[in-house]
Amino acid sequence: MLPRLLAVVRAPGSRRGWREGSPARGSASATAAPPVALPAQAQVVVCGGGIMGTSVAYHLSKMGWKDVVLLEQGRLAAGSTRFCAGILSTARHLAIEQKMADYSNKLYHQLEQETGIQTGYTRTGSIFLAQTQDRLISLKRINSRLNVIGIPCEIISPKKVAELHPLLNVHDLVGAMHVPEDAVVSSADVALALASAASQSGVQIYDRTSILHVMVKKGQVAGVETDKGQIQCQYFVNCAGQWAYELGLCSEELVSIPLHACEHFYLLTRPWETPLPSSTPTVVDADGRIYIRNWQGGILSGGFEKNPKPIFTEGKNQLEIQNLQEDWDHFEPLLSSLLRRMPQLETLEIVKLVNCPETFTPDMRCIMGESPSVRGYFVLVGMNSAGLSFGGGAGKYLAEWMVYGYPSENVWELDLKRFGALQSSRTFLRHRVMEVMPLLYDLKVPRWDFQTGRQLRTSPLYDRLDAQGARWMEKHGFERPKYFIPPDKDLLALEQSKTFYKPDWFEIVESEVKCCKEAVCVIDMSSFTKFEITALEILQYLFSNDLGVPVGHIVHTGMLNERGGYENDCSIARLSKRSFFMISPTDQQVHCWAWLKKYMPEDSNLILEDVTWKYTGKGPSRVRRPAGVRGPPGWRPVIQV
């Protein structure tokens, strides 16, 4: 019933490097085959034989890195990749995600020709439905961004929706978006095709081989220890999917990878009497929280419910993902939504309700990049149920990062270093993913905030600001004021103000800005990243402005990379002849630390200390008022970030 796993036929000498670490289960001929020894060393070891791991190996080999070993603890493509619904969609909210999905679409389209392995790629197009005007505005925003990067799409009427997919009930729609080049594909076959192409380029692949420990020496990856021996290596890539969190703990220097699994449900039906054509468009009804695609003449339909079920909360799960227990009561709201959208479905026999784990991250964005604590340790995980769409592009960007030192696109929004230690606790992740999974289909209006995992870090002024009517947002685990509610305003209405138009709190923020501009304000900078550094020479090398200023002076500057691009902007105060105090944006804490450590020489006389927790900070706005001049009528002091 599930997308089939391709039986890979290996002609003698045709696919060097492909090895099985141990006999396949249930195969009499394979039982006699002796286990194959692992190589003693490699340049790169990739952990994970799903679509992410095989994509990284494929792209590394394309970029000239041939000394690559891919290890899979079970069978290739037997994790989340095996249960993927197979929908490839480029309609994403972030520009970098759109580019990754677009590249994946083009890559998968030509894989069958390149490898000779059928991947089931079918260009069906996608229809994204809108039941409300706000949803239609959201689709128009996505539509405009897709057009900018050259992906064909258009906003269409409900009548056009009915023409493209006659089985849909369109009476409650106000419009839709059509993306004609979206596709469906067998994700497991794509992973096997990528593995085949990588193997032909020299990548060695071993299944049924578990990594027990990542060896680290002087902060650098040194090798891996497996259940079949050790491999010395310079680079390690964690593409272990839902096992990535635990694998990150299996080294001398812990690598925090914040993700958590939830149960994800979709159903499969028998074919219709007249089977659906293979070109039937995929449908995403986000207001109904469901997606629908053609599956062998019937349909495959799932969704993202409001009350998700976290799973594997105590740690490591089985080596290969199996179909979890059916839960029709839990799936019932999604089934009801499906029947409203496709009433004729009532006559169709349901074959199975699939329940499989999917991993989610604290901010609904995937995780990639190099660990801030271990050099040469790279990560590509946490796809938030979009692994097939992102797999090709994400694998390409990570391979570029490893080979060239940086990817060809700005991927800061996906960088592992955007997270701190607070976002890696199991308790935080369990609660956060219960909010994240429904948000995948919720309306993405500007300036919304997560509600879980709050008050992890607060300013010493928190209680005073809260008593003054502060409304709070969360930044890198830190509570920061957004605005202050006057006594005459309705708090509940403001909290529920979610719109693409002028929000109810607009006038409040307007008056605060006017106060800051024309009167006086004090900024609470407690949440900002703060470092103490004693190394003028290295600072002069890393920062663009001259820091050789008199003691007591402050310089606003930026850290640049070798390409002249910004890594960070900050303010640096000179405290003494050798001592400097650096203040950077809140969410740059881990990134700044890793960047400074990367370039600071091993010198016992040089000191770099993160003092974010030691100090609070307050700064005045740039205001000049003649003595005796009062602020505007009705103004009040504002303390705000």
Side-chain angles (χ1 to χ4, degrees):
M1 308 303 170
L2 303 169
R4 64 184 181 83
L5 287 176
L6 185 63
V8 181
V9 179
R10 287 174 283 160
S14 64
R15 297 172 61 200
R16 61 191 180 92
W18 193 296
R19 300 287 186 269
E20 289 189 358
S22 62
R25 297 173 189 167
S27 171
S29 60
T31 304
V36 178
L38 299 177
Q41 62 183 21
Q43 184 181 14
V44 183
V45 171
V46 180
C47 176
I51 200 162
M52 292 300 150
T54 55
S55 178
V56 171
Y58 170 86
H59 286 95
L60 285 174
S61 67
K62 290 291 184 182
M63 295 175 194
W65 282 21
K66 309 294 186 180
D67 189 12
V68 178
V69 173
L70 186 149
L71 303 178
E72 163 57 43
Q73 65 180 351
R75 296 169 296 168
L76 289 178
S80 299
T81 299
R82 173 189 173 196
F83 285 90
C84 176
I87 298 172
L88 201 170
S89 173
T90 54
R92 304 290 167 180
H93 289 275
L94 295 181
I96 186 63
E97 293 180 342
Q98 292 173 347
K99 292 176 182 178
M100 289 194 302
D102 185 41
Y103 175 83
S104 298
N105 197 349
K106 294 172 182 175
L107 173 66
Y108 303 161
H109 182 60
Q110 56 88 30
L111 259 187
E112 185 171 334
Q113 180 179 356
E114 179 182 348
T115 65
I117 296 175
Q118 294 183 355
T119 61
Y121 181 95
T122 305
R123 184 159 286 174
T124 61
S126 295
I127 305 172
F128 295 82
L129 309 181
Q131 297 182 29
T132 66
Q133 288 297 331
D134 273 345
R135 178 69 68 181
L136 188 59
I137 291 173
S138 177
L139 293 177
K140 288 179 178 179
R141 290 160 68 99
I142 295 173
N143 180 80
S144 64
R145 288 194 291 268
L146 290 176
N147 283 327
V148 165
I149 63 175
I151 298 176
C153 57
E154 61 176 338
I155 300 298
I156 60 176
S157 66
K159 181 179 179 181
K160 182 66 174 179
V161 172
E163 293 174 3
L164 292 170
H165 202 309
L167 295 175
L168 294 181
N169 178 6
V170 300
H171 77 281
D172 59 345
L173 301 182
V174 297
M177 179 177 70
H178 182 219
V179 188
E181 292 188 358
D182 280 356
V184 297
V185 66
S186 168
S187 54
D189 292 344
V190 167
L192 292 171
L194 290 169
S196 173
S199 178
Q200 291 173 359
S201 296
V203 174
Q204 301 179 68
I205 300 176
Y206 299 85
D207 63 1
R208 305 195 186 283
T209 304
S210 297
I211 292 179
L212 308 176
H213 186 71
V214 179
M215 298 180 289
V216 178
K217 186 176 182 180
K218 295 182 179 181
Q220 169 74 44
V221 167
V224 297
E225 181 182 349
T226 77
D227 57 353
K228 295 178 175 61
Q230 293 185 356
I231 304 176
Q232 306 297 318
C233 64
Q234 301 169 257
Y235 298 91
F236 175 72
V237 188
N238 185 338
C239 296
Q242 62 185 308
W243 297 275
Y245 183 102
E246 286 75 23
L247 183 58
L249 306 179
C250 298
S251 60
E252 286 88 349
E253 293 284 344
L254 302 185
V255 177
S256 296
I257 304 174
L259 50 77
H260 200 293
C262 285
E263 297 182 26
H264 178 59
F265 298 86
Y266 61 81
L267 60 77
L268 304 169
T269 74
R270 299 281 185 200
W272 301 81
E273 286 188 12
T274 302
L276 286 177
S278 60
S279 59
T280 301
T282 295
V283 176
V284 176
D285 183 1
D287 294 313
R289 315 195 73 83
I290 58 171
Y291 58 80
I292 310 166
R293 60 154 288 193
N294 171 60
W295 185 76
Q296 297 183 4
I299 69 160
L300 179 157
S301 179
F304 298 98
E305 62 274 22
K306 292 184 177 181
N307 56 332
K309 299 168 65 176
I311 195 171
F312 308 136
T313 57
E314 302 304 320
K316 207 163 185 177
N317 52 67
Q318 71 271 23
L319 292 182
E320 293 183 2
I321 296 176
Q322 306 296 328
N323 191 24
L324 304 174
Q325 185 176 358
E326 292 184 349
D327 190 341
W328 283 102
D329 289 337
H330 189 79
F331 190 73
E332 191 277 332
L334 299 181
L335 180 60
S336 297
S337 181
L338 174 61
L339 291 173
R340 285 194 298 272
R341 187 57 58 205
M342 295 184 69
Q344 298 181 49
L345 187 66
E346 291 186 352
T347 63
L348 210 57
E349 180 184 352
I350 296 174
V351 175
K352 178 181 288 188
L353 180 64
V354 176
N355 178 6
C356 57
E358 286 277 8
T359 54
F360 299 88
T361 62
D363 59 0
M364 295 186 293
R365 304 198 296 265
C366 72
I367 299 173
M368 69 164 60
E370 187 174 17
S371 163
S373 57
V374 181
R375 296 187 304 277
Y377 192 122
F378 285 81
V379 175
L380 183 58
V381 293
M383 295 297 128
N384 300 282
S385 202
L388 178 65
S389 295
F390 297 157
K396 171 178 176 281
Y397 291 148
L398 193 76
E400 290 174 341
W401 205 329
M402 297 172 67
V403 174
Y404 308 123
Y406 50 87
S408 56
E409 295 285 345
N410 179 6
V411 297
W412 164 246
E413 294 174 300
L414 314 177
D415 195 330
L416 170 63
K417 292 184 283 293
R418 71 186 187 270
F419 294 116
L422 288 173
Q423 287 105 330
S424 294
S425 85
R426 288 194 187 278
T427 301
F428 168 83
L429 290 170
R430 183 170 64 252
H431 287 90
R432 175 56 66 86
V433 297
M434 293 178 68
E435 180 181 11
V436 162
M437 189 171 170
L439 281 172
L440 293 178
Y441 275 0
D442 280 354
L443 199 62
K444 306 297 189 305
V445 299
R447 296 168 293 275
W448 57 272
D449 297 296
F450 288 106
Q451 301 303 309
T452 54
R454 300 298 297 267
Q455 299 187 17
L456 298 178
R457 297 197 293 182
T458 59
S459 161
L461 295 172
Y462 179 84
D463 291 336
R464 293 178 61 185
L465 299 182
D466 196 57
Q468 292 281 332
R471 292 299 93 195
W472 300 93
M473 62 176 286
E474 176 260 338
K475 188 77 168 180
H476 202 62
F478 219 118
E479 296 294 318
R480 307 205 310 192
K482 291 191 293 185
Y483 52 83
F484 292 79
I485 297 181
D488 59 334
K489 289 290 185 178
D490 184 350
L491 172 60
L492 183 61
L494 288 169
E495 292 292 333
Q496 296 177 348
S497 178
K498 296 181 179 180
T499 178
F500 289 104
Y501 297 98
K502 184 178 178 181
D504 292 342
W505 42 259
F506 184 89
E507 286 80 8
I508 297 175
V509 174
E510 181 184 36
S511 66
E512 292 180 357
V513 170
K514 187 175 182 180
C515 173
C516 296
K517 180 180 178 181
E518 301 179 4
V520 177
C521 75
V522 178
I523 302 173
D524 179 4
M525 301 179 68
S526 302
S527 69
F528 282 51
T529 297
K530 299 177 260 312
F531 296 132
E532 284 186 354
I533 311 169
T534 59
L536 176 59
E537 295 78 11
I538 191 66
L539 292 180
Q540 291 283 50
Y541 171 71
L542 290 176
F543 292 89
S544 55
N545 281 348
D546 183 13
L547 300 180
V549 296
V551 173
H553 283 229
I554 300 175
V555 177
H556 186 74
T557 183
M559 286 195 294
L560 306 184
N561 53 42
E562 61 272 18
R563 305 180 309 282
Y566 260 75
E567 292 292 332
N568 163 264
D569 78 311
C570 59
S571 296
I572 297 183
R574 189 165 195 174
L575 305 181
S576 66
K577 183 178 179 180
R578 286 182 51 79
S579 180
F580 295 83
F581 190 84
M582 173 179 169
I583 300 179
S584 296
T586 304
D587 59 358
Q588 290 277 322
Q589 183 177 10
V590 177
H591 177 67
C592 283
W593 176 267
W595 189 259
L596 289 168
K597 290 289 288 184
K598 179 179 179 181
Y599 289 100
M600 286 189 71
E602 296 294 336
D603 187 336
S604 58
N605 294 322
L606 300 181
I607 297 174
L608 170 63
E609 183 181 2
D610 187 343
V611 295
T612 302
W613 293 93
K614 287 187 177 181
Y615 299 102
T616 185
K618 292 186 293 181
S621 67
R622 179 182 176 275
V623 177
R624 291 186 180 181
R625 290 191 299 151
V629 176
R630 300 170 62 89
W635 84 282
R636 61 193 182 98
V638 174
I639 305 175
Q640 188 174 3
V641 176

